[in-house]
Amino acid sequence: MTMSTADLLFPDVTRTPADLLAEYAPRDLPEDAIVSRFAPSPTGFIHIGGIYTALISWMLTNQTDGVYILRIEDTDQKRQIEEGVRQIVESLMHFGLVPDEGPYTIGPVEVRGDYGPYLQSERVDIYKVFARDLVEKGLAYPSFQTSEELEAMREAQKAQKVKPGYYGPWAKDRELTEEQIAERLAAGEPFVIRVRAPYPNKRKAAIKDVVRGKMELPGNDKDMVILKSDFLPTYHFAHAVDDTLMRVNLIVRGDEWLSTLPLHVQLFEMLDLPVPTYAHISPIGKQDEGSKRKLSKRKDPEAAASYYLEKGYPARAILEYCLNLINSQFENWRVENPEAPFAEFPLDLSRMSPSLALFDLDKLDSISKDVIATYNAQEVYQAALDWAREYDPDLAAIIEADRDYSITVFGVERGGEAPRKDLANWSDVREAYGFFWDELYAQSIAEQGYIFPDVAPEDIASVMDFIIGHVQDLPDRDTWLQDMRDFSEEAGFAPNRKTYKKDPDAYKGQFGDVMMIYRVALANQRYTPDLYEMVQALGIERTVARLERVKQWAEG
RNA sequence: GCCCCAUUCGUCUAGUGGACCAGGACGUAGCCCUCUCAAGGCUAAAACAGGGGUUCGAAUCCCCUAUGGGGCACCA
């Protein structure tokens, strides 16, 4: 008796596609619920574009009471990276984009789901069922070419100036008889399974794409590999099988898949499965020597999502920036809904631009400043500390040493109507607030000396004298300022710049100089928050100590 | 080389045949406020890639060119 090619190829397959379709039944969800998935390779590296894609899926599925799945595309055994899955999940958790279903256990959090396995390498038996089905229907066949033969074929095609690929007349094994196949199988020749694409293919592939609208692409006529020689599927086949069985109804992915879309549509049709809706999104790019290009994992450190975390951008700022790229209406929505969680923003893929967007760090900074401006002092303290523990341990130790004081510091000019917007990320903390902590203040003086304006030392000393006496019993803000003005004038400083400019020789300087002396004495910086608030935050003791030291310096 | 996709200020974009001498945001510049910054307010410079059509009328529709992006793997 002779065995069919399908039996020869897949002797251990007992189930049919119908069995699997029944096993992974349609989900019991609201009519318009979106089921989507994030499907990275397990390299551990998350591209900022990955976060961008995951964010879209997360938003849409959350807003429709759908399901957001993490599926790991580990079908390329050459690229395995240990711990990759864990790193991916941790990154997603850091951004708050936690999948509803997936292959992971992190600490107490165990996430599985009824539509797994979620690791493609564990789904081999499932792919075989569908591959066998195609072989039985004559829509797929084993192909025995070696990579050398394929390379030679491509060379020949290049020489003849015809399009490269395994198709029609070039597809040598397309017309192998069952007997021939049986022989070569018996001889133990390695093989792959290829789809039998119509050739020539005049039919156009009709596609529903939420970002680009309706499209018609030339139908596929290449006999693409669906199962590799190790029986692991290629992306194309896994996409059709997995997204069907997981009942995914919206495929969000990069537009690099556009060119293989006709193949995907063809696969669904061959398997007699409904074609899902797609959202092909454009990549994030950067300006590179006058031209735009996609952010490259190899060349651009800023392609890694972790890059922004290291800099200390709050996850929310990064996500809000991404939202801004996805739908520019987001920024108007944000103005109208300053308090609302960004997850409530009605994301609309049809309003997304189909072309490449450049990542704009200035814009990120601006958004991040707005985000941080909504934090209260404790939140700033906590977030800055969390960041510093990982990326700037010295700073962490310093701000942690006196928690109450640090919170007071972060409360300067914060929480009112117009909060300071001087932090775009946590690595800005040192520069903007460092001087508040004695250690960093002393360090600054040690490194660059005092940076007073050009005023005689004895005048600085006399300013110190006055402030030291005056600061002991700090009056209200207006009085304080008026006292400073009065002192300044009595001490021989012009009341304002204009007056000073008119007759520079008549004055020691101007009021602003006095205040600058005050400021530098306390911070050794030219740029600081409001002086009055600074004094309050520093406290009398610390303030006087700094002033005394300056006085000594000025006198000596 | 072939195929697909895209193209509005520096950047992200609004714009779906007349409401556009093209609007907003970031960035830039100036002014105001002011003890320095930050913020805030006001103002300014700044774009429909080019060429042909279609139409009474085009940023918007069609064609060509240019430029950019992506693909042409037993990688995703």
Side-chain angles (χ1 to χ4, degrees), chain A residues 375-381 404-416 419-420 433 436-437 529 533 537:
Chain A
Y375 288 22
N376 63 33
Q378 287 205 21
E379 290 167 331
V380 173
Y381 170 77
D404 290 344
Y405 176 61
S406 293
I407 291 177
T408 305
V409 164
F410 287 124
V412 169
E413 286 192 78
R414 188 173 297 282
R420 286 192 77 74
Y433 294 85
F436 276 106
W437 294 281
E533 286 203 37

Side-chain angles (χ1 to χ4, degrees), chain A residues 441-460:
Chain A
Y441 168 76
Q443 194 178 313
S444 149
I445 294 165
E447 280 168 9
Q448 49 179 342
Y450 285 114
I451 53 165
F452 286 110
D454 191 19
V455 173
E458 54 269 30
D459 293 327
I460 292 176

